[in-house]
Amino acid sequence: MSAEATRMEENPPNSGKTNGRLLALDIGTRKLIGLVVGEGEKGQEPVILAAAMEEHRERVMLDGQIHDIPKVAAAIVRIKDKLEKATGEKFTAAAVAAAGRSLFTATARAARPIPLFHGLCAQEVRETELEAVAAAGEWLRQGEEKWGKFGSVEQYQCVGYSPVTYFLDGEPIGNPVGQRGEEAAVEVIATFLPGVVLDSLRRAMDLADLRLDSLTLEPIAALEVVVPPGMRHLNLALVDVGAGTSDVAVTSGGTVRNFCMVPVAGDEITEHLAERFLLDFAEAERVKRRLGEGGTVAFRDVLGTSHSLPASRLAEELAEAVERLASRVAETILGAGGGTPQAVFCVGGGSLTPGLAPALAARLGLEPGRVAIKGRETLRLFPGKRNVFQGPELVTPLGIARAAWQNMSLRFRRVEVNGTPVQVLDLRGVTVLDALLAAGYSLRQLYGHGAGITVEVNGAVLSFQPARSSAKLERNDEAAAMGDWVAEGDRITYAKDGGDVGLPLADVLVDAGRETVFHLNRETLGVPARVTVNGKPAGADTVVRDRDTLTARGPETVGEVLEAAGHRRDDFQPRPFLVRYNGLERKLERPALVVRRGGEAVTWEAGVVPGEAFEVVESEPPLVREVLPEEPGIRLVVNGEVVLLPAREEVVTVNGQTASGATPLKAGDEIVHLSRPREVIIAHLLALMDGMSQGVGKGNLLISRNGAEAGFTTPLADGDVLEIVWEEGEGFGSVQF
């Protein structure tokens, strides 16, 4: 690390304080709140010097995401101007928090050796925490295929973390500061948000001429002031109900267990009110805020009609929407781990929604008093300016200010990349690579030119190192490497080398020629893998380039195995040929070949398993019975079994020769079929029954038809019921045709 970078580590330039004063901004979906805090009396907490609130004049944010950067920036400027007038200071930086939209969390651990006779200092503990945060990000990058639903890991950035457990020589410890031992470790829960959320926040701050000095997550900020570490041995839940999102944090066992986000909050209540009474959004929001005051609320709908209704009646109309919000929040709390909490703290302006706290208590099975709304008046933090805001909407900005003041939030360094200012999250020092990633370059872009290529093989991302010259990379006009440390204000220049880096397919897929073994007609068959590059068939001499997508797979169907053996699909498809039946042409179908597996015919599309055996044989010819029409016959019930007995006398010839239904056919055969009715008697049935010879010597054959005694010549009709047994009581087997 350079001397300049070392100095930066010792004295971070982004302290965020101006003349000992710090600006904290809570940029919410519906409103912005700004606080200025300063040094308190010696040994006392910092004090609030000024506070201001500014509502967005339009719906420029939805679900915590900025949708109109210039208008949000204008609101930030208005807040900043108010606070600068109130304090006489000119602010150039601010501490902010991000909402938990598309929140993703990861737990990671880091450890460091402790020198002999050395007690850990707070800075060393902080550095170990940041090592764990960095490890969480690296774990996400390595396991990207396991959480692909979140998109590319490069599109997510860390926005906050909280220590879960500290360890000293492998054993949990409450506070490692000042402790001596061989090894200190910490496990943290780190939170990540999409880069687009943070990028829009940075751009709005830039337009407001403010540097994004430090960042935390809204539930982390609120947790610091509502549920301090001394309370985290309890199973508690914190719910920050804003306008666009409801953020949840859960504690137990002395630590933070989880952070979650619910994409439902106060705006859904407002929209329900607007739809029910036909109001525009601004009017519905005004009416909602009046409900807590009681009495009668007057309002005008979009048709110009004036209304005046009791606040209690309006609250009743909101019950359905409030119940939905409470249900979603309760499900999230219970799903965060730890089961039903002992108590729930609600903060944020949306927590004042009438009926929300009781509904949430009911959903969680808690007594109503176990769900409490926390406001600044209940918190013994940041004295001063007690007349500004007293409600729960002040809790999150207080937490933002506290986290930044005590250096618990994440800080940034400002550098230049190709002439463009970039703010880089400072976890454990900032490298050139960190700065390039923050500037919008992806790992694939950076390592796809000169230093290597990155390709996707069967869904997995792999990197390779072709022997090519590197891209141009400089720090402060001197040659640099990706791992070099960066200090505040450094200038980084990066230019691609323009070379068309590529590798032969054989270098990327060493086993691309590997064969899958099958057995065909008792001979071994090796089937090579099929390889495609960007969806097109590829060979060993194909050149693979950066960001190409490759697939390499063995045969997956019977057809692919047979094609490898030289067979054509057409040989296994039904082929028509003609015969003549009673002077008329009839078309039959048979494939030339049939493939069998285990003696059973299988289709061309059937799946395969390596090592399976197949047999390809000529197809058997069709039989005469496939040409003959079906004869209905008569239906009988014989000894409880349903039997269909032919009722016609059949005579069949093929090319003038007597034939049966089992006679095979070939193309051009002439089939003559004569059929005439006949009287069906019991003797015809007996000739088809199994067991006649085995019954000889067992006495007389007893026959009954429809309950009456019958003989061999008794005629049969459709629906007759027969019982046929030997005198000793033994019956026959099945009827055989």
Side-chain angles (χ1 to χ4, degrees):
M1 183 183 295
S2 67
E4 182 181 6
T6 302
R7 288 194 301 274
M8 299 303 304
E9 291 293 328
E10 295 172 350
N11 301 292
N14 298 348
S15 64
K17 299 175 184 177
T18 302
N19 295 327
R21 298 177 177 186
L22 182 144
L23 171 62
L25 294 177
D26 181 11
I27 304 173
T29 301
R30 182 65 40 229
K31 66 183 73 169
L32 288 80
I33 298 177
L35 296 178
V36 177
V37 298
E39 298 281 358
E41 296 181 7
K42 186 174 182 180
Q44 299 296 317
E45 291 280 354
V47 297
I48 298 176
L49 302 175
M53 183 176 70
E54 181 78 23
E55 292 206 25
H56 296 296
R57 297 175 180 178
E58 300 176 41
R59 295 191 73 182
V60 295
M61 292 182 66
L62 296 174
D63 297 339
Q65 166 67 45
I66 296 176
H67 284 249
D68 192 321
I69 293 174
K71 290 181 180 178
V72 171
I76 295 174
V77 169
R78 293 194 294 271
I79 282 281
K80 184 179 71 166
D81 288 346
K82 290 179 181 179
L83 296 175
E84 288 180 341
K85 289 178 181 178
T87 60
E89 297 288 351
K90 179 70 175 177
F91 294 103
T92 59
V96 299
R101 176 179 177 266
S102 299
L103 178 69
F104 190 76
T105 62
T107 302
R109 176 181 172 129
R112 68 186 297 145
I114 305 174
L116 190 63
F117 306 120
H118 174 76
L120 285 168
C121 67
Q123 179 61 25
E124 289 171 324
V125 174
R126 163 77 170 173
E127 290 173 357
T128 309
E129 293 171 355
L130 294 179
E131 286 282 347
V133 172
E138 184 61 27
W139 177 83
L140 293 179
R141 183 170 290 111
Q142 293 176 353
E144 183 175 355
E145 70 278 0
K146 299 178 182 178
W147 58 288
K149 64 181 181 179
F150 294 97
S152 171
V153 67
E154 296 161 9
Q155 298 172 3
Y156 273 66
Q157 294 186 28
C158 180
V159 293
Y161 75 94
S162 181
V164 175
T165 308
Y166 294 104
F167 299 90
L168 183 66
D169 294 340
E171 297 295 329
I173 191 168
N175 185 355
V177 175
Q179 301 285 350
R180 295 182 180 183
E182 294 182 358
E183 182 187 76
V186 62
E187 182 180 293
V188 303
I189 180 171
T191 55
F192 296 79
L193 286 179
V196 63
V197 175
L198 302 182
D199 185 63
S200 59
L201 186 60
R202 289 192 189 100
R203 291 178 182 274
M205 296 279 286
D206 285 341
L207 286 179
D209 200 23
L210 282 174
R211 185 178 73 246
L212 177 57
D213 171 66
S214 67
L215 178 72
T216 188
L217 194 68
E218 289 181 0
I220 294 178
L223 198 70
E224 288 299 323
V225 294
V226 177
V227 188
M231 295 171 57
R232 294 178 189 175
H233 63 284
L234 299 173
N235 187 351
L236 303 174
L238 170 76
V239 183
D240 185 354
V241 187
T245 62
S246 298
D247 297 313
V248 175
V250 176
T251 69
S252 67
T255 188
V256 181
R257 291 299 177 190
N258 211 341
F259 295 106
C260 306
M261 185 277 295
V262 184
V264 181
D267 278 358
E268 277 70 16
I269 307 298
T270 305
E271 288 166 357
H272 182 86
L273 193 64
E275 291 177 4
R276 174 64 184 83
F277 293 99
L278 208 62
L279 308 177
D280 64 36
F281 189 86
E283 180 72 350
E285 181 71 16
R286 185 189 67 81
V287 171
K288 183 182 76 172
R289 296 180 186 180
R290 287 285 312 278
L291 298 184
E293 302 174 7
T296 300
V297 181
F299 57 92
R300 178 173 295 180
D301 63 28
V302 296
L303 300 176
T305 305
S306 297
H307 303 269
S308 183
L309 294 173
S312 59
R313 161 72 192 288
L314 293 169
E316 290 175 0
E317 295 291 342
L318 291 179
E320 180 183 349
V322 170
E323 184 65 26
R324 285 199 302 269
L325 174 57
S327 177
R328 291 290 300 275
V329 172
E331 289 174 3
T332 302
I333 291 173
L334 295 175
T340 302
Q342 296 169 277
V344 178
F345 297 125
C346 297
V347 300
S351 65
L352 297 174
T353 300
L356 178 58
L360 184 56
R363 282 287 180 175
L364 292 171
L366 298 175
E367 297 178 5
R370 290 293 183 99
V371 177
I373 299 174
K374 283 281 190 177
R376 176 185 165 238
E377 68 279 3
T378 66
L379 307 173
R380 299 177 180 179
L381 299 169
F382 290 108
K385 295 291 181 182
R386 292 188 175 274
N387 60 334
V388 284
F389 304 119
Q390 297 294 314
E393 70 274 5
L394 192 62
V395 172
T396 297
L398 274 174
I400 296 171
R402 182 178 177 84
W405 189 272
Q406 296 186 351
N407 199 30
M408 294 185 297
S409 54
L410 300 172
R411 297 199 174 275
F412 294 84
R413 288 192 178 174
R414 175 166 291 203
V415 299
E416 282 189 7
V417 176
N418 291 340
T420 301
V422 175
Q423 296 190 66
V424 190
L425 184 63
D426 186 351
L427 290 175
R428 51 183 176 184
V430 176
T431 66
V432 170
L433 175 60
D434 294 330
L436 292 174
L437 291 174
Y441 290 98
S442 70
L443 287 174
R444 292 176 180 175
Q445 288 174 309
L446 298 175
Y447 287 104
H449 296 271
I453 68 169
T454 302
V455 299
E456 183 179 305
V457 180
N458 291 343
V461 177
L462 304 176
S463 296
F464 299 90
Q465 304 294 323
R468 295 297 301 258
S469 59
S470 299
K472 178 183 178 183
L473 183 60
E474 295 180 346
R475 182 176 73 92
N476 299 332
D477 300 324
E478 296 181 359
M482 291 289 184
D484 287 353
W485 296 104
V486 173
E488 179 79 7
D490 276 357
R491 303 182 314 278
I492 298 170
T493 303
Y494 174 74
K496 302 174 183 178
D497 63 356
D500 192 10
V501 179
L503 283 174
L505 178 66
D507 289 355
V508 176
L509 295 177
V510 178
D511 59 351
R514 184 182 58 186
E515 295 182 339
T516 305
V517 175
F518 296 91
H519 302 281
L520 186 62
N521 291 349
R522 300 187 178 182
E523 293 185 1
T524 300
L525 173 67
V527 183
R530 293 191 172 190
V531 180
T532 66
V533 175
N534 302 325
K536 298 179 180 179
D541 57 347
T542 300
V543 176
V544 179
R545 307 190 188 284
D546 184 50
R547 304 185 72 175
D548 277 350
T549 299
L550 286 70
T551 63
R553 62 178 181 84
E556 298 177 350
T557 66
V558 170
E560 291 178 354
V561 175
L562 296 180
E563 283 181 341
H567 288 291
R568 299 182 307 161
R569 185 187 184 98
D570 288 347
D571 292 335
F572 296 84
Q573 300 300 312
R575 295 181 179 181
F577 68 88
L578 300 177
V579 298
R580 294 184 68 81
Y581 172 77
N582 288 347
L584 299 176
E585 279 191 347
R586 294 287 296 274
K587 184 171 73 172
L588 301 177
E589 291 186 339
R590 271 297 185 278
L593 299 173
V594 174
V595 58
R596 294 193 178 100
R597 175 172 52 193
E600 298 290 334
V602 292
T603 64
W604 188 269
E605 293 80 13
V608 295
V609 175
E612 284 188 317
F614 300 93
E615 183 183 19
V616 174
V617 297
E618 292 185 359
S619 176
E620 295 180 356
L623 306 178
V624 167
R625 67 168 58 98
E626 298 180 34
V627 180
L628 301 181
E630 292 186 7
E631 295 292 347
I634 61 173
R635 189 176 298 272
L636 307 172
V637 178
V638 182
N639 294 346
E641 176 186 358
V642 177
V643 174
L644 187 64
L645 189 63
R648 302 183 69 84
E649 186 176 358
E650 311 284 344
V651 178
V652 180
T653 64
V654 176
N655 301 328
Q657 301 295 318
T658 301
S660 69
T663 301
L665 294 173
K666 59 182 181 297
D669 279 350
E670 187 80 33
I671 304 161
V672 177
H673 176 212
L674 300 178
S675 176
R676 63 187 178 191
R678 68 171 180 177
E679 183 182 32
V680 181
I681 61 177
I682 288 178
H684 293 144
L685 174 64
L686 294 176
L688 300 174
M689 294 190 71
D690 188 18
M692 177 64 73
S693 61
Q694 289 85 349
V696 176
K698 295 181 180 179
N700 296 323
L701 190 63
L702 304 179
I703 304 172
S704 68
R705 171 181 173 271
N706 299 329
E709 186 177 349
F712 290 168
T713 60
T714 301
L716 295 174
D718 191 62
D720 282 349
V721 178
L722 294 97
E723 290 289 336
I724 305 174
V725 297
W726 293 103
E727 193 171 29
E728 293 183 3
E730 294 190 26
F732 293 94
S734 60
V735 178
Q736 302 293 323
F737 292 96

